[in-house]
Amino acid sequence: MADDASTLRKGPDDWSSRERTPGTPPRVIVIGAGVAGLSTGCYAQMSGARTRIFEKHVLPGGCCTAWSRDGYLFDYCIEWLIGTAPGNDAHQVWRELGALDGKTVTNFELFNKVEDESGRSVTFYNDPDRLEAHLLAISPADAPLIRAFTRDLKRFIAIDLYPFLTAPALRSVRERAATLRTVLPAFRLFWRTAATPMHVFADKFQDPLLRRAFRNIFFQDPEGFPLLPYLFNMAAACHLNAGFPQGGSLGLSRSIEERYLGLGGHVTYRARTEKVLVENDRAIGVELRNGKRYFAEHVVSAADGHTTVYGLLGGRYTGPRIDKLYTDLLQRPGTLFPAVVSAFVGLRGDFDPGEAHSTTHLLTEEDGKQLPGALQNSLVVQARSRYCDGFAPAGRSVLHCTYFSDYAYWKELRTRDRKEYRQRKHEVADFVRTFLERRSPGITDRIDLIDVASPATTHRYTGNHNGSILAWKAFSDADDVAARLVGRDRMRLPGLTGFSMAGQWVGMGGLIRAASTGRFAVQYLCRELGLEFRAWESEATEPWHSGKLGHLPQLDRWSAREDTSS
């Protein structure tokens, strides 16, 4: 998207020099062109710094990406995006980053549908009144629990709380007071729903389908989540503030990349950072795999957290919080958000128009055992072509089938025996084909291709530890530790200056959180570099079109018609 020559024409070529050119703005190097890295670059450019982003892949976005096969676009990441409706702080962040420039947004009337083995189903409508009527029709005996849930949902719908503009340690008295005015009247609601695990709440239902369905509102059971995030996200969807942006995942990343380049930044792709250069306990630059060194007054890593701390910095700068996260919690079961297996299905014609855009199918134990590395007996089927135009050639559609899976299972297979690894992926494709045929007889004859990506694929292309897309699981033991890393430690490592971290490994998962950590990191480093933090909304108005996705490389050399992938 940009080459070195374009940067040289715009400013001094002093990135290879230990000292910056006199009279020029401070230099900031960002490691990783995911959403957090691009956000960091955008806000640093707006605040008067000069920046360079080094990315090991050929595309921006990290996990917020897509790839192509035979005219199909396989959108990997976004299922809903907080901040798609105007009038809140989350939306302001996306407008500042240009993420929604010229785009339409698709909103659905339901969050997810859950169907059991016998065909009984629950539809989780975003509208609380419609949801309540639907649930009462399924199980009148569960009326008290149903009404309690929808009553809480209505209370969340009335709350506007999106704290994504100012880093915690820098919030003014006015900002803190505004937050208190929102939180205090609903304190008991927040406390109670944060302290009530979803599985404890769901187990109170008399109807066995409701007991299982509530756990899977978020497509599969994240295990350990309390009620609060379910209510918060369904409330956002009710406000049309959790929609799907035109262009999808890679479209979002490309739009932020376009904004960054328009602000004068530069991205170098196929540039893997091998280490952060440190002198007298101060980060002074980076060294790439090709041996080239680049220098700056500040370095921000928006890459995988474990790789950053123990790889790029050799484990030299840790402390109680870092040790807690990366030597204790990282290995503790249930602390990382599970990895997923994705099976994209290219289909001639449309998927059953009577089906919901997203359905979690609860499987029998026998069926669950047929899914390699599965952690739960369920399969999510999403009609992705309804989310956005351009995901399939004319007259065709795309399904995205996913399930939580064990990274270690796939990593060991791929390391030990590539042939067996590919065979397991064939088994995923075969199961999906058989399952879809069982649900919609005749659909097999319309399948063009099935493309399977494993957790090992995610790790290879993004570097995310254990292939986890969302990193630390919210509301786990890691949540409080990471919050202190952002607030008290100001996203810095003990004993190291001139360096900070951004992204989901410090700010928890979710795209708006990733973007906000870039904003926070720049607010903190502006204090260090003597710059005034500045941000303004993008004024670009050109309508989004698929040409903005750029070149879409295939991830491997295997034929998509052989049901294989990387």
Side-chain angles (χ1 to χ4, degrees), residues 213-270:
F214 267 80
R215 288 172 158 86
N216 290 278
I217 294 175
F218 283 172
F219 313 119
Q220 290 198 287
D221 181 3
E223 297 181 345
F225 271 22
L227 283 172
L228 191 153
Y230 296 93
L231 295 164
F232 174 86
N233 284 279
M234 290 182 72
C238 186
H239 281 303
L240 308 184
N241 197 37
F244 188 88
Q246 187 180 14
S249 304
L250 183 57
L252 186 89
S253 301
R254 285 295 195 196
S255 291
I256 302 175
E257 177 198 49
E258 183 178 0
R259 170 70 161 157
Y260 172 65
L261 296 175
L263 289 166
H266 179 75
V267 187
T268 303
Y269 292 104
R270 294 187 177 89

Side-chain angles (χ1 to χ4, degrees), residues 54 271-274 286-294:
F54 294 100
R272 183 190 293 266
T273 301
E274 284 292 296
V286 298
E287 182 177 307
L288 306 185
R289 172 167 287 185
N290 61 12
K292 290 186 178 180
R293 293 186 166 195
Y294 297 86

Side-chain angles (χ1 to χ4, degrees), residues 158-229:
I159 295 171
D160 180 13
L161 184 62
Y162 298 95
F164 301 118
L165 291 184
T166 307
L170 301 180
R171 287 170 188 161
S172 66
V173 173
R174 174 178 288 185
E175 288 173 314
R176 294 176 189 275
T179 300
L180 286 175
R181 283 195 297 271
T182 301
V183 171
L184 286 179
F187 176 77
R188 290 178 61 85
L189 174 69
F190 284 122
W191 178 84
R192 176 171 51 79
T193 56
T196 305
M198 171 55 88
H199 72 271
V200 172
F201 177 79
D203 282 346
K204 296 178 182 178
F205 284 99
Q206 296 182 40
D207 188 283
L209 174 58
L210 294 186
R211 285 201 296 269
R212 300 168 71 191
F214 267 80
R215 288 172 158 86
N216 290 278
I217 294 175
F218 283 172
F219 313 119
Q220 290 198 287
D221 181 3
E223 297 181 345
F225 271 22
L227 283 172
L228 191 153

Side-chain angles (χ1 to χ4, degrees), residues 441-508:
I443 197 173
T444 299
D445 295 334
R446 298 194 287 121
I447 292 177
D448 266 347
L449 56 88
I450 301 179
D451 187 275
V452 178
S454 79
T457 312
T458 303
H459 181 263
R460 285 179 61 210
Y461 287 98
T462 68
N464 272 18
H465 189 79
N466 283 4
S468 175
I469 296 178
L470 291 175
W472 306 114
K473 185 185 289 186
F475 301 97
S476 70
D477 291 340
D479 202 333
D480 287 342
V481 182
R484 293 186 184 98
L485 188 61
V486 174
R488 295 184 185 179
D489 297 342
R490 300 191 173 207
M491 307 166 80
R492 308 297 174 89
L493 296 178
L496 181 63
T497 59
F499 180 85
S500 52
M501 295 173 65
Q504 57 191 6
W505 292 100
V506 290
M508 307 300 291

Side-chain angles (χ1 to χ4, degrees), residues 245-415:
Q246 187 180 14
S249 304
L250 183 57
L252 186 89
S253 301
R254 285 295 195 196
S255 291
I256 302 175
E257 177 198 49
E258 183 178 0
R259 170 70 161 157
Y260 172 65
L261 296 175
L263 289 166
H266 179 75
V267 187
T268 303
Y269 292 104
R270 294 187 177 89
R272 183 190 293 266
T273 301
E274 284 292 296
K275 64 180 178 180
V276 174
L277 301 175
V278 177
E279 185 178 279
N280 297 324
D281 294 327
R282 182 176 187 85
I284 60 171
V286 298
E287 182 177 307
L288 306 185
R289 172 167 287 185
N290 61 12
K292 290 186 178 180
R293 293 186 166 195
Y294 297 86
F295 296 91
E297 283 63 63
H298 197 95
V299 176
V300 180
S301 177
D304 174 75
H306 186 271
T307 300
T308 296
V309 175
Y310 295 99
L312 304 183
L313 288 165
R316 297 187 303 276
Y317 299 96
T318 65
R321 274 188 273 280
I322 296 298
D323 289 339
K324 179 72 173 177
L325 282 173
Y326 292 109
T327 63
D328 176 11
L329 296 176
L330 193 70
Q331 310 302 326
R332 189 181 299 180
T335 306
L336 290 186
F337 203 86
V340 299
V341 169
S342 289
F344 289 96
V345 182
L347 192 67
R348 293 189 297 279
D350 193 9
F351 190 49
D352 184 352
E355 286 284 350
H357 74 282
S358 177
T359 301
T360 298
H361 295 276
L362 304 176
L363 306 176
T364 63
E365 187 173 346
E366 181 181 355
D367 275 346
K369 289 179 179 178
Q370 296 181 47
L371 282 174
L375 297 177
Q376 298 176 7
N377 293 329
S378 57
L379 180 72
V380 182
V381 178
Q382 297 181 330
R384 297 295 281 188
S385 302
R386 297 183 195 165
Y387 288 60
C388 176
D389 55 3
F391 283 176
R396 287 170 166 77
S397 55
V398 173
L399 304 181
H400 188 197
C401 305
T402 59
Y403 63 91
F404 283 160
S405 189
D406 179 19
Y407 168 78
Y409 170 89
W410 291 99
K411 177 63 175 177
E412 190 275 335
L413 266 180
R414 191 175 188 279
T415 302

Side-chain angles (χ1 to χ4, degrees), residues 505-531:
W505 292 100
V506 290
M508 307 300 291
L511 289 172
I512 185 58
R513 287 180 176 270
S516 68
T517 63
R519 204 177 198 273
F520 295 170
V522 174
Q523 288 172 342
Y524 286 138
L525 73 86
C526 279
R527 295 292 183 96
E528 174 189 318
L529 299 177
L531 299 173

